[in-house]
């Protein structure tokens, strides 16, 4: 089905919303006032409802016009972003690969990885996608990303292929001034009435602490749900409670001393991280090349803190 409105209709609505003037909007778009008025009449004819109305100061959008203007602005912003990506890719003669990361919107490791990639595969250009934070596997299937970094178990679906990057400790994170800071292990057995923050791991099934680590032997008494892991980090830094994290995600705070971490069991708990892409991607595709770079990167254990280098020499909790 072909949309009834063209791009020049949407840009006119956006200009009218900002200026309230047909003359100024026409000048901004580089057309005559007569041509702009014709565009407006044509848009209203195609849609069948008024899109603007006259007011004392000039024009304003009707509710229908405002909805179309908002959609148009979003579309044009995405189109501009895509054009920039394509131009950059063409200018650098590089293949663009879109990368997503499950749960944690923390990319303190990313600059060092880009430095590594420049040597490992200089023909790749990486762009980040936020959709994979909540939907790491669905984003691969709908094409939002080409590679997703996920945790837990290897995906069992034949639609995916995965490379294990390594294992990272699962730790309780808390302020150095927290009452439990002196405990060797922090979990539900000694939490008592202390606040325990939980956050969504992803919006996809199978990604929750109970599924990944099992039900705690003793229920937490005081659970507080927060919308993002990053919000939880701010709160536990302020000594408001305790939360569970994959250790790499809080490395900046551990490095500067604003947070400390403790194992959540005497034996210690860990979680595997995987580099996942579509099984249909060919061996020489950008996604496969990026996966190989991540696999090599995961062995660079002599690099600084706060990277996704999960090699065997990486320190435990």
């Amino acid at each position: 089905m072909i949309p009834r409105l063209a791009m020049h209709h949407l840009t006119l609505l956006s200009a009218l919303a900002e200026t309230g003037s047909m003359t100024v909007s026409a000048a901004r778009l580089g057309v005559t006032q007569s041509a702009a008025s014709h565009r407006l009449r044509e848009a209203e004819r195609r849609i069948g409802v008024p899109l603007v109305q006259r007011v004392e100061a000039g024009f304003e959008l009707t509710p229908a016009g405002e909805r179309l203007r908002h959609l148009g602005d979003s579309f044009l912003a995405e189109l501009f972003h895509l054009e920039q990506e394509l131009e950059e890719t063409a200018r650098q003669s590089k293949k663009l690969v879109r990368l997503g990361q499950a749960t944690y919107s923390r990319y303190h490791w990313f600059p060092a990885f880009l430095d590594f990639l420049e040597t490992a595969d200089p023909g790749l250009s990486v762009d980040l996608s936020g959709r994979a934070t909540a939907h790491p596997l669905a984003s691969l299937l709908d094409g939002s990303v080409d590679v997703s970094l996920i945790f837990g178990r290897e995906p069992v679906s034949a639609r995916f292929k995965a490379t294990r990057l390594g294992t990272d400790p699962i730790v309780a994170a808390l302020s150095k001034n927290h009452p439990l800071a002196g405990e060797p292990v922090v979990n539900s057995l000694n939490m008592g009435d202390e606040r325990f923050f939980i956050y969504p791991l992803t919006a996809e099934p199978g990604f929750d602490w109970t599924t990944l680590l099992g039900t705690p032997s003793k229920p937490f008494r005081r659970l507080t749900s927060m919308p993002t892991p990053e919000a939880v980090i701010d709160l536990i830094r302020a000594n408001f409670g305790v939360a569970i994290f994959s250790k790499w995600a809080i490395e900046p705070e551990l490095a500067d001393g604003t947070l400390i971490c403790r194992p959540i069991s005497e034996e210690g708990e860990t979680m595997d991280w995987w580099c996942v892409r579509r099984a249909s991607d060919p061996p020489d595709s950008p996604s496969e090349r990026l996966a190989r770079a991540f696999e090599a990167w995961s062995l660079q254990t002599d690099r600084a803190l706060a990277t996704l280098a999960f090699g065997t020499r990486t320190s435990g909790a």
Side-chain angles (χ1 to χ4, degrees):
M1 184 175 181
I2 301 175
R4 294 181 178 137
L5 294 189
M7 187 181 300
H8 60 261
H9 297 129
L10 298 176
T11 54
L12 176 59
L13 290 177
S14 181
L16 282 171
E18 292 185 21
T19 68
S21 166
M22 187 68 71
T23 302
V24 177
S25 296
R28 177 179 292 186
L29 298 176
V31 299
T32 65
Q33 181 176 344
S34 175
S37 298
H38 176 74
R39 287 184 185 180
L40 176 61
R41 291 193 299 271
E42 177 67 11
E44 291 180 329
R45 183 191 69 78
R46 293 187 183 191
I47 295 296
V49 297
L51 300 177
V52 301
Q53 57 192 6
R54 285 191 175 272
V55 294
E56 185 176 348
F59 291 92
E60 69 177 16
L61 300 188
T62 64
E66 185 61 37
R67 290 179 63 189
L68 284 170
R69 194 267 322 164
H70 177 74
L71 178 63
D73 285 351
S74 299
F75 169 75
L76 292 173
E78 287 294 324
L79 181 60
F80 177 72
H81 181 62
L82 177 59
E83 288 176 347
Q84 284 187 314
E85 289 182 1
L86 295 177
E87 290 172 359
E88 181 67 17
T89 300
R91 183 164 52 251
Q92 298 183 5
S93 298
K94 292 187 175 185
K95 295 291 186 180
L96 179 68
V97 56
R98 293 158 297 177
L99 172 66
Q101 177 178 278
T103 297
Y104 302 116
S105 297
R106 311 214 81 192
Y107 292 93
H108 38 271
W109 55 271
F110 194 56
F113 175 71
L114 289 182
D115 289 342
F116 174 84
L117 186 64
E118 189 62 34
T119 299
D121 194 336
L124 287 182
S125 175
V126 180
D127 190 26
L128 299 175
S129 172
R131 171 166 161 71
T133 303
H135 306 278
L137 298 180
S139 297
L140 286 168
L141 296 179
D142 66 22
S144 301
V145 299
D146 303 301
V147 173
S148 278
L149 304 180
I150 71 167
F151 51 83
R153 296 178 297 273
E154 181 180 6
V156 296
S157 172
R159 293 178 293 181
F160 305 113
K161 50 186 169 183
T163 300
R164 182 178 172 275
L165 297 181
T167 297
D168 197 50
I170 302 301
V171 296
L174 60 163
S175 163
K176 61 184 178 181
N177 298 317
H178 194 277
L180 295 175
E183 296 290 331
V185 173
V186 174
N187 56 30
S188 62
L189 297 178
N190 59 1
M191 280 284 291
D193 290 323
E194 296 292 334
R195 187 189 306 275
F196 179 67
F197 287 108
I198 57 175
Y199 53 87
L201 298 186
T202 82
E204 295 177 339
F207 291 92
D208 58 79
W209 290 126
T210 300
T211 301
L212 295 170
L213 300 177
T215 303
S217 55
K218 181 178 181 180
F220 291 99
R221 297 182 191 173
R222 193 180 180 192
L223 289 173
T224 300
S225 179
M226 294 300 294
T228 65
E230 292 71 33
V232 173
I233 289 174
D234 287 338
L235 290 169
I236 60 178
R237 286 179 63 182
N239 204 26
F240 268 82
V242 179
I244 291 177
F245 282 90
S246 187
K247 188 181 178 184
W248 75 263
I250 54 169
E251 284 287 9
E253 289 74 22
L254 296 178
D256 66 20
T258 55
L259 287 181
I260 62 172
C261 68
R262 296 290 180 264
I264 60 174
S265 71
E266 292 184 0
E267 300 79 15
E269 303 290 341
T270 60
M271 187 162 61
D272 288 339
W273 279 81
W274 303 84
C275 180
V276 185
R277 54 274 189 212
R278 292 176 290 270
S280 58
D281 290 351
D284 60 345
S285 65
S287 61
E288 284 298 306
R289 290 163 57 185
L290 188 66
R292 288 194 290 270
F294 267 117
E295 186 174 15
W297 167 253
S298 70
L299 301 177
Q300 303 299 306
T301 55
D302 57 340
R303 292 184 178 269
L305 288 176
T307 72
L308 282 175
F310 294 141
T312 55
R313 286 182 287 158
T314 302
S315 59

